[in-house]
Amino acid sequence: MPLAHEFFDLSEEQQALVLEARRFAQTEIAPKASGLDERSEFPREMIAQANKLGLMNLVMPSEYGGTGLSTHDGCLIIEELAAGCAGIATSLVINDLALLPIAISATLEQKQKFIGDLLAKQELASFCLTEPQSGSDAAAMQTLVTEEGDQLVINGTKQWISNGGYASQFTVFGVTSKGAGHKGSVCVVVPQTSAGVSCGSHENKMGQRASNTVQVTFNNVRVPKENMIGKVGSGFRTAMTTLDASRPMTATIAVGLARCALEHAIGYAKERKAFGQPIGTFQMVQALLADMATELEAARLLTLRSARLFDAKLSSSLHSSMAKRYAADMAMKVTTDAVQIFGGYGYTREYPVEKLMRDAKLLQIYEGTSQIQRLVIARELLKP
């Protein structure tokens, strides 16, 4: 079936990068994905390999050591990686999520220090927004960032932090006082080596088990005031702009995962026989495959449209939320239908589709649940 890049007039350089991502996914990610999932093991060596090949830090500016791609082109690469394994693709994309607030709102000096220096060392960063009691309601976060002389003091706990156990730098969102809301929101870069930073144990997740997920606690952590990104009151806006940029990349993980499930389902429908003929000749199976392919293509095009809107510096909150919501729900449906086509075999770990179904569920939860995306969509539609 046609793949994303074949619908667009890409430059030779873009095509080469997409093909390199596909090769990496097929030769390095896919063969090891099942074992990493079984062991819930973080793919450190694979991440180092991807970094050297330019398959990480995709939308970070090239002047600071990033690959320098647009959000649209980054999505093309991420789809290929996610077709190998959604959990590993998530691990590879987290640096972009963690560094986007800096790329969006920091000074040139801060960008060099917190993006350039980090990428030169080929290290990892994590995005710290969600808290134990404020996941979808980011405006209700309780992490305190107070001033003492020329320092900032951070106290709070962040939950579900991807790559947190391996990050050398955290992009932390907090408030200057309890109840301050948006007006007191701040964004601060915290080195992992700062006294008072501690990480919990890796969460034993249902899916995307190769992705490291931990709780990170900040106990009287002190950093220089120069580590604040933007001004007091700008943190929430920076976080929301970051999510506008990152949601297409999350949506494209769903597209890549669903593409993998569809390819497995098509292959199985051609080979598996019942009543003396391949099950792909039965109309009920054909109907499942037709819907899977149609919804996958719709999600891909909506995702790439939202990415292009962001790249063009146009309002993209509506379309990025549409893309994330639709692609996540599509991936859950497509992987569920893939398991159905495989029948009893699909329910066993001997075949790949059960892992894809487990991996897909998280896409409806992280980066804003499908329910929250619907609220954002409705809010955007009802604006004056």
Side-chain angles (χ1 to χ4, degrees):
M1 63 178 293
L3 305 181
H5 77 95
E6 293 167 327
F7 286 100
F8 300 95
D9 184 19
L10 303 185
S11 68
E12 290 185 5
E13 182 180 359
Q14 290 169 320
Q15 291 182 45
L17 197 53
V18 168
L19 292 173
E20 179 63 24
R22 184 178 303 172
R23 183 205 64 78
F24 187 79
Q26 292 175 348
T27 62
E28 299 296 330
I29 296 179
K32 301 171 184 175
S34 178
L36 291 168
D37 172 79
E38 187 73 26
R39 299 187 300 272
S40 192
E41 181 181 334
F42 188 66
R44 298 182 69 173
E45 293 183 6
M46 195 180 297
I47 287 175
Q49 285 179 283
N51 208 341
K52 291 178 181 177
L53 292 171
L55 299 176
M56 279 185 66
N57 310 304
L58 296 171
V59 300
M60 288 300 105
S62 56
E63 59 265 36
Y64 300 113
T67 305
L69 298 180
S70 64
T71 308
H72 171 273
D73 292 351
C75 284
L76 298 180
I77 305 305
I78 295 166
E79 178 182 331
E80 300 298 331
L81 300 174
C85 175
I88 294 171
T90 295
S91 299
L92 293 172
V93 172
I94 289 301
N95 258 25
D96 281 306
L97 174 62
L99 299 178
L100 270 167
I102 303 168
I104 290 168
S105 300
T107 64
L108 293 178
E109 183 180 358
Q110 287 175 321
K111 289 177 184 179
Q112 181 57 56
K113 181 178 181 181
F114 298 129
I115 300 177
D117 292 355
L118 182 92
L119 299 192
K121 297 174 185 175
Q122 298 190 356
E123 293 179 340
L124 301 179
S126 286
F127 180 81
C128 298
L129 179 64
T130 299
E131 298 183 359
Q133 302 302 321
S134 63
S136 297
D137 185 9
M141 59 188 170
Q142 298 293 306
T143 294
L144 288 176
V145 181
T146 56
E147 295 186 13
E148 285 191 16
D150 59 354
Q151 292 185 321
L152 300 172
V153 182
I154 302 108
N155 282 283
T157 299
K158 296 296 183 177
Q159 187 72 31
W160 315 121
I161 305 306
S162 297
N163 291 4
Y166 297 89
S168 61
Q169 178 177 296
F170 300 101
T171 304
V172 182
F173 292 87
V175 290
T176 54
S177 63
K178 289 187 177 181
H182 297 178
K183 293 181 179 180
S185 63
V186 292
C187 174
V188 181
V189 176
V190 179
Q192 183 275 334
T193 54
S194 303
V197 176
S198 61
C199 294
S201 58
H202 171 50
E203 300 286 352
N204 187 18
K205 306 192 299 294
M206 177 173 73
Q208 298 202 23
R209 290 167 55 80
S211 167
N212 175 257
T213 309
V214 300
Q215 184 181 81
V216 182
T217 300
F218 303 91
N219 183 17
N220 287 322
V221 176
R222 295 175 179 270
V223 298
K225 279 186 178 179
E226 291 76 18
N227 285 28
M228 183 182 293
I229 305 301
K231 300 177 181 179
V232 172
S234 68
F236 189 78
R237 179 179 293 275
T238 294
M240 294 304 102
T241 304
T242 297
L243 293 176
D244 283 345
S246 69
R247 280 174 180 152
M249 294 189 284
T250 305
T252 208
I253 292 176
V255 171
L257 182 154
R259 187 185 99 195
C260 181
L262 176 59
E263 290 169 352
H264 281 300
I266 291 171
Y268 190 78
K270 290 178 178 179
E271 296 174 2
R272 170 68 168 165
K273 290 186 178 180
F275 306 103
Q277 55 189 316
I279 63 171
T281 62
F282 302 143
Q283 288 184 342
M284 293 300 287
V285 173
Q286 291 175 356
L288 285 174
L289 293 172
D291 287 349
M292 292 161 73
T294 302
E295 291 163 16
L296 168 61
E297 188 63 22
R300 175 186 287 133
L301 295 175
L302 180 57
T303 296
L304 294 178
R305 171 170 166 75
S306 71
R308 284 186 166 180
L309 286 171
F310 184 85
D311 289 335
K313 294 181 171 53
L314 298 172
S315 176
S316 61
S317 294
L318 173 63
H319 287 85
S320 69
S321 290
M322 284 180 170
K324 201 284 181 175
R325 197 290 298 172
Y326 184 77
D329 291 349
M330 175 279 301
M332 193 69 246
K333 181 178 183 300
V334 166
T335 55
T336 301
D337 288 345
V339 170
Q340 192 71 18
I341 289 171
F342 272 73
Y345 293 110
Y347 202 64
T348 69
R349 293 199 173 186
E350 184 179 352
Y351 288 80
V353 288
E354 69 86 27
K355 173 185 179 297
L356 296 172
M357 183 177 173
R358 287 188 288 108
D359 287 349
K361 186 59 198 174
L362 185 56
L363 291 159
Q364 294 180 304
I365 298 172
Y366 71 176
E367 295 285 324
T369 66
S370 293
Q371 289 71 32
I372 286 295
Q373 302 306 330
R374 286 176 169 88
L375 294 179
V376 173
I377 293 164
R379 181 191 66 198
E380 291 293 317
L381 292 173
L382 294 170
K383 276 184 176 180

